[in-house]
Amino acid sequence: MQAPESTAAASEKDEPVVHILWINAGLSCDGDSVALTAATQPSIEEIVLGALPGLPKIAVHWPLIDFESGPYGGADTFIEWFYKADRGELEPFVLVIEGSIPNESIKQEGYWCGFGNNPETGQPMTTSEWLDRLAPKATAVLAAGTCATYGGIHAMSGNPTGAMGVADYLGWDWTSKAGLPIVNVPGCPIQPDNLSETILYLLYQVAGQAPMIPLDEALRPQWLFGKTVHEGCDRAGYYEQGQFTTEYGQPECLVKIGCWGPVVKCNVPKRGWMNGIGGCPNVGGICIACTMPGFPDKFMPFMDEPPGALVSSTVSGVYGSVVRGLRHITQRTVDKEPKWRQKSHALLTGYKAPWSER
Amino acid sequence: MTAPQKDRELVEMAWDPITRIVGSLGIYAKIDFRNREVAECYSTSSVFRGYSIFMKGKDPRDSHFITSRICGICGDNHATCSVYAQNMAYGIRPPALGEWIINLGEAAEFMFDHNIFQENLVGVDYCEKMVRETNPGVLALAERTEAPHAAEHGFRTIADIMRSLNPLEGEFYREALAVSRTTREMFCLMEGRHVHPSTLYPGGVGTVATVQLFTDYLTRLVRYIEFMKRVVPMHDDLFDFFYEALPGYEQVGRRRVMLGCWGAFNDPNHCNYNYEQMSAWGRKMFVSPGIVIDGKLITTDLVDINLGIRILLGSSYYEDWADQEPFVTHDPLGNPVDIRHPWNQHTIPKPQKRDFNDNYSWVMSPRWFDGENLLALDTGGGPLARLWVTALARLVDVGYVKSTGHSVLINLPKTATLPEKTFEWKIPVRNGEMLSNALERNRARAPTSRRMPLRSRCTSPSRPWPTCGPA
């Protein structure tokens, strides 16, 4: 998918194009692709149409909404771009991986997951083989969503495929030929703007308009994952006052019915899900920690109170009930208007009019 | 497959991965261009994840959080069904308000899905750029064809509609993408997050039901309705044009009419999640459950629909489980449960080379047993079966939506700039034949007041057709 050639763009035909190659065929649900179509800051249209100043010209090769749908060996064949990149004919490109990487070496034959075909064998080209071929040639590798970043749901205990994240597969200290580490944007699915904003940042960086993307130890953009859910949650005030709900549909803190917000790095309660609407604990859903490397196993059963919450919520229950009592007193005072606001012949505000006596 | 084998010159064509669809789909076909037939067609899914394996032994209350992750466009439907199943298993009935919030979330999900699928995924198949490349004569005809409903949607010719569907540069393509975001906001109001909801639980929802919540939903809903008053006539003009411009196009994606619908939107006044009474409360759903075979409604009983389901191995990479001990031999009503019913299914993966003469997919083959045959029902992508079953069942009448026994009436209220409007979805019939094909699956995503043209340009007999049309 590429911006239409305008007359202005036609005169700049030699302007280099940054290609985005998107492989959605890890063990995924395509939910991160779908999330990107929900993004508005920026939207996918704005990225592709070059609506932001300083953006390089880009071409996105993305299964979810790609125009190209021609047959093998015919015109407009989607997969051809990936073969081109493999042959070293696309420069530069950003490789986006969606879905976890199964371990193809634990079985006798066949494939757990594939993306198009291997022209030499006529069999599906496994996702891990695509990674082996394309990662060394990519300017940057972006792992989109918790499956691609850390393995996620498909890598939970008892899974048959040996699924893992991209960094587990390529190595946590892997860097691209341009010196970029793998960029992890977790979330199940990914918060739409978190993904579009990271793509925007990487495009600016590739175009020489932004410094090295700041990542934390789990390779997450620091500005998106530096705070906990709890630190951005509009129910944290209830926690402080020791008010915990034990049933659904109530406005108080959800820790006692399974919310992991106090220890989970995620900006969703603050940013909302899209256009500031929705989210998790801020709208009544327990945080199941879907952005975390330990997801899901370390947080299951999701609907039980997290073990550490018992101590902290008990402490907050004692302290909070005192604070709440004091606040009630103050609240009763501030909930009333000052006494001078009334119908009267006398002015009670303290102002002395020049015409008043004395 | 009518042409004798010796006349055939088969051209092999493959599309893998298929774009503008969610999931990992590949299509491999042998095409007889001289006889204008797809002689052989194989669909393959190239991803295995193993949900039914790794969910074993986990806390059942976690199941809807996990099953949602099966699909990244309709995760909510999986979560909702899991919550329904848990309600039945635990014997709990959510408060009515919780049920309504789930219904409103689901409704927003349908609006989102139909909108993005129709305009931004499928719609591209009918856009000017695509038609110019694949069928320039059709585009030339579209330039000369006035849109019959131009006054309602504002596009003078069919080609103007096609141009507006061009990816990104088309004005309507961009508008639809923006509208799909509004419908997702509606979803997030009720269920927290799209596509994997955060506020659904067995027994109810975590959503805090306030006046503001419903105001925020209602204002977006009426804007969406205003949009659809323009969109439905536009779709009719576009799809009817294709029937006229490309004789034989009704055969694209055409299958025998065999549709299955499990119903949608429970009525909290009737649904108690008790299996023994499922037949009764199933018929109170706002979308009727049912099976339609060759245009005839053969049941609306959720118990029969459920018990008839069989999972066959087909051409998939799994080992059989027929020799294993069944989990369930009888349902709570005492009906026998087949070893191939999903309740007795084992998932035993056997990765192997893809071989189109043997096994070639990670997807099994669900069928419905009518007592004699194992039928490959389809849902028509969802909406076609929902409308067809609801139309015939004559069980729904809520004012805004009414089943007539042969159609579904949809009464839309007055909106900001447009008056009240009634749309009617009718059983698609052309030349006396009922149609379950690509265009009608599309059209069902936005039901209509159209009249199918009665005259015919295509005299070829109907025939079974592999499902590899653009839908």
Side-chain angles (χ1 to χ4, degrees):
Chain A
M1 193 172 60
Q2 202 170 352
E5 296 273 327
S6 68
T7 42
S11 64
E12 302 162 15
K13 269 221 158 81
D14 295 335
E15 188 190 341
V17 174
V18 179
H19 292 266
I20 296 179
L21 293 182
W22 191 303
I23 292 181
N24 65 333
L27 306 185
S28 87
C29 69
D30 287 6
D32 307 303
S33 281
V34 173
L36 185 57
T37 66
T40 55
Q41 301 171 132
S43 71
I44 186 66
E45 307 92 285
E46 287 167 323
I47 294 176
V48 176
L49 296 172
L52 295 143
L55 266 188
K57 195 169 159 55
I58 70 159
V60 188
H61 310 289
W62 180 24
L64 183 72
I65 63 172
D66 216 282
F67 172 82
E68 297 195 326
S69 48
Y72 271 94
D76 291 341
T77 309
F78 174 77
I79 199 77
E80 186 56 34
W81 293 100
F82 295 76
Y83 294 143
K84 267 188 198 167
D86 183 31
R87 292 193 299 261
E89 295 165 17
L90 280 193
E91 177 66 33
F93 70 90
V94 174
L95 180 63
V96 180
I97 301 289
E98 180 176 6
S100 38
I101 311 303
N103 188 342
E104 298 284 356
S105 57
I106 55 172
K107 53 180 175 29
Q108 283 142 354
E109 59 169 352
Y111 55 97
W112 295 121
C113 74
F115 186 68
N117 291 331
N118 184 329
E120 284 112 61
T121 63
Q123 288 289 310
M125 180 97 92
T126 61
T127 306
S128 40
E129 185 166 359
W130 276 119
L131 263 179
D132 295 341
R133 287 170 180 241
L134 297 185
K137 303 183 178 85
T139 296
V141 172
L142 171 64
T146 300
C147 287
T149 53
Y150 311 121
I153 286 279
H154 308 125
M156 78 162 68
S157 68
N159 83 75
T161 60
M164 64 192 97
V166 171
D168 300 320
Y169 183 80
L170 290 179
W172 280 83
D173 51 2
W174 183 91
T175 52
S176 75
K177 63 178 188 184
L180 270 91
I182 297 164
V183 177
N184 280 340
V185 188
C188 187
I190 205 161
Q191 200 274 2
D193 290 341
N194 283 355
L195 178 55
S196 68
E197 187 183 348
T198 305
I199 291 173
L200 181 72
Y201 191 103
L202 284 175
L203 289 171
Y204 275 134
Q205 187 178 335
V206 170
Q209 305 255 357
M212 176 62 83
I213 185 167
L215 304 175
D216 70 10
E217 71 289 348
L219 304 178
R220 296 167 284 212
Q222 286 175 7
W223 76 94
L224 296 173
F225 294 93
K227 304 273 193 304
T228 66
V229 165
H230 192 62
E231 284 159 355
C233 184
D234 62 7
R235 294 184 180 214
Y238 288 109
Y239 185 104
E240 184 209 14
Q241 294 178 169
Q243 291 168 287
F244 304 96
T245 184
T246 51
E247 55 182 295
Y248 311 142
Q250 302 300 314
E252 293 88 5
C253 177
L254 302 171
V255 159
K256 289 209 174 292
I257 57 171
C259 185
W260 282 83
V263 294
V264 170
K265 292 179 175 176
C266 176
N267 61 353
V268 161
K270 223 174 172 84
R271 198 168 205 177
W273 195 253
M274 48 188 299
N275 289 329
I277 292 165
C280 304
N282 54 319
V283 294
I286 55 173
C287 169
I288 62 169
C290 75
T291 55
M292 297 295 278
F295 178 77
D297 304 82
K298 293 189 178 176
F299 308 96
M300 289 164 75
F302 297 127
M303 290 173 67
D304 284 350
E305 181 179 3
L310 188 61
V311 177
S312 55
S313 66
T314 306
V315 172
S316 141
V318 176
Y319 158 86
S321 62
V322 176
V323 170
R324 208 167 357 128
L326 295 171
R327 282 178 185 164
H328 271 307
I329 298 169
T330 314
Q331 209 170 35
R332 270 201 299 277
T333 312
V334 298
D335 218 12
K336 291 187 184 112
E337 287 181 50
K339 58 185 184 301
W340 57 81
R341 294 177 195 164
Q342 53 177 271
K343 259 172 97 172
S344 159
H345 289 294
L347 181 69
L348 305 174
T349 64
Y351 176 74
K352 291 284 180 219
W355 56 85
S356 60
E357 290 169 26
R358 268 197 24 86
Chain B
M1 307 200 192
T2 48
Q5 210 59 38
K6 61 183 164 62
D7 291 347
R8 292 224 187 260
E9 265 178 51
L10 298 180
V11 178
E12 290 192 25
M13 294 182 81
W15 297 261
D16 190 359
I18 296 274
T19 55
R20 287 180 277 113
I21 192 170
V22 166
S24 296
L25 177 68
I27 294 289
Y28 292 77
K30 291 180 183 170
I31 300 175
D32 177 350
F33 280 100
R34 195 191 315 161
N35 291 301
R36 306 187 66 183
E37 251 186 314
V38 177
E40 292 177 32
C41 184
Y42 305 88
S43 72
T44 167
S45 176
S46 52
V47 168
F48 173 71
R49 298 165 302 180
Y51 275 78
S52 42
I53 294 172
F54 57 67
M55 284 180 73
K56 271 190 195 163
K58 305 297 193 300
D59 191 312
R61 295 170 303 156
D62 287 347
S63 57
H64 60 289
F65 289 108
I66 300 171
T67 60
S68 181
R69 271 74 185 178
I70 284 173
C71 179
I73 198 153
C74 69
D76 157 60
N77 305 132
H78 293 274
T80 300
C81 287
S82 172
V83 162
Y84 290 170
Q86 288 183 73
N87 290 344
M88 294 176 79
Y90 311 150
I92 47 175
R93 184 175 184 172
L97 199 52
E99 198 74 80
W100 289 120
I101 285 175
I102 288 188
N103 285 346
L104 289 172
E106 279 275 279
E109 158 65 31
F110 284 21
M111 292 175 220
F112 152 73
D113 182 278
H114 294 184
N115 182 267
I116 199 166
F117 189 82
Q118 189 85 308
E119 322 303 351
N120 303 119
L121 305 185
V122 153
V124 174
D125 283 347
Y126 306 96
C127 77
E128 180 262 352
K129 193 177 164 193
M130 187 71 80
V131 177
R132 177 156 41 92
E133 284 188 21
T134 55
N135 233 327
V138 170
L139 180 61
L141 181 60
E143 297 283 8
R144 299 193 302 272
T145 306
E146 304 251 329
H149 295 99
E152 286 164 72
H153 52 65
F155 297 103
R156 195 178 62 79
T157 66
I158 301 298
D160 288 338
I161 298 176
M162 291 175 172
R163 264 186 289 278
S164 76
L165 283 168
N166 280 344
L168 297 175
E169 57 205 275
E171 195 181 336
F172 182 72
Y173 179 99
R174 287 199 309 273
E175 184 186 6
L177 200 49
V179 169
S180 85
R181 291 180 188 131
T182 307
T183 56
R184 278 180 271 195
E185 288 169 17
M186 291 163 68
F187 182 85
C188 291
L189 285 165
M190 295 298 153
E191 301 196 16
R193 317 185 322 157
H194 190 269
V195 296
H196 301 315
S198 59
T199 61
L200 286 199
Y201 304 104
V205 294
T207 314
V208 186
T210 61
V211 173
Q212 180 188 315
L213 179 80
F214 296 104
T215 311
D216 291 357
Y217 188 95
L218 179 65
T219 50
R220 286 171 175 80
L221 175 62
V222 290
R223 284 175 212 141
Y224 176 80
I225 290 171
E226 171 133 323
F227 170 77
M228 289 310 291
K229 286 176 183 172
R230 285 191 284 125
V231 169
V232 171
M234 192 198 86
H235 286 156
D236 280 342
D237 288 354
L238 181 66
F239 297 144
D240 289 343
F241 168 80
F242 270 87
Y243 278 133
E244 294 298 312
L246 279 168
Y249 203 81
E250 63 270 21
Q251 300 299 336
V252 173
R254 185 167 180 197
R255 301 186 79 237
R256 189 179 158 197
V257 181
M258 294 192 295
L259 299 164
C261 173
W262 338 115
F265 309 125
N266 282 320
D267 184 342
N269 295 319
H270 298 278
C271 177
N272 61 5
Y273 292 101
N274 183 324
Y275 183 92
E276 281 93 331
Q277 288 144 32
M278 186 164 76
S279 309
W281 54 257
R283 292 192 177 99
K284 295 291 185 183
M285 292 171 109
F286 296 104
V287 170
S288 304
I291 307 276
V292 173
I293 305 293
D294 296 328
K296 289 194 181 61
L297 183 66
I298 61 170
T299 182
T300 55
D301 189 332
L302 267 182
V303 173
D304 289 344
I305 295 170
N306 172 46
L307 289 174
I309 299 174
R310 302 285 182 272
I311 308 295
L312 308 187
L313 290 173
S315 305
S316 63
Y317 308 137
Y318 300 92
E319 284 180 16
D320 201 1
W321 66 83
D323 54 347
Q324 305 237 6
E325 193 73 11
F327 295 114
V328 191
T329 58
H330 291 83
D331 77 352
L333 290 162
N335 300 305
V337 177
D338 194 85
I339 187 73
R340 297 209 174 277
H341 188 272
W343 290 352
N344 284 324
Q345 183 186 335
H346 289 257
T347 300
I348 311 163
K350 193 184 176 192
Q352 54 197 279
K353 285 208 167 71
R354 187 180 63 198
D355 178 356
F356 290 113
N357 294 312
D358 188 14
N359 295 329
Y360 53 83
S361 180
W362 272 116
V363 171
M364 296 185 196
S365 302
R367 294 289 183 269
W368 193 73
F369 187 59
D370 70 352
E372 287 174 28
N373 298 302
L374 290 160
L375 303 173
L377 298 186
D378 72 296
T379 65
L384 189 64
R386 286 198 287 268
L387 284 164
W388 209 310
V389 169
T390 301
L392 295 180
R394 212 172 181 169
L395 293 167
V396 175
D397 183 3
V398 293
Y400 289 114
V401 180
K402 181 181 162 68
S403 163
T404 64
H406 55 86
S407 67
V408 178
L409 290 170
I410 298 165
N411 300 307
L412 301 179
K414 177 188 171 300
T415 48
T417 68
L418 295 170
E420 285 182 2
K421 176 94 186 169
T422 294
F423 290 123
E424 182 174 18
W425 181 88
K426 292 179 186 158
I427 308 289
V429 178
R430 200 175 158 84
N431 309 321
E433 290 183 358
M434 283 177 286
L435 288 180
S436 167
N437 65 9
L439 281 183
E440 296 310 325
R441 284 193 278 279
N442 293 342
R443 197 199 303 262
R445 292 192 173 84
T448 173
S449 56
R450 89 212 174 276
R451 254 176 215 292
M452 296 293 290
L454 293 173
R455 80 199 147 77
S456 167
R457 285 187 188 167
C458 173
T459 53
S460 63
S462 82
R463 60 193 166 211
W465 198 267
T467 51
C468 57

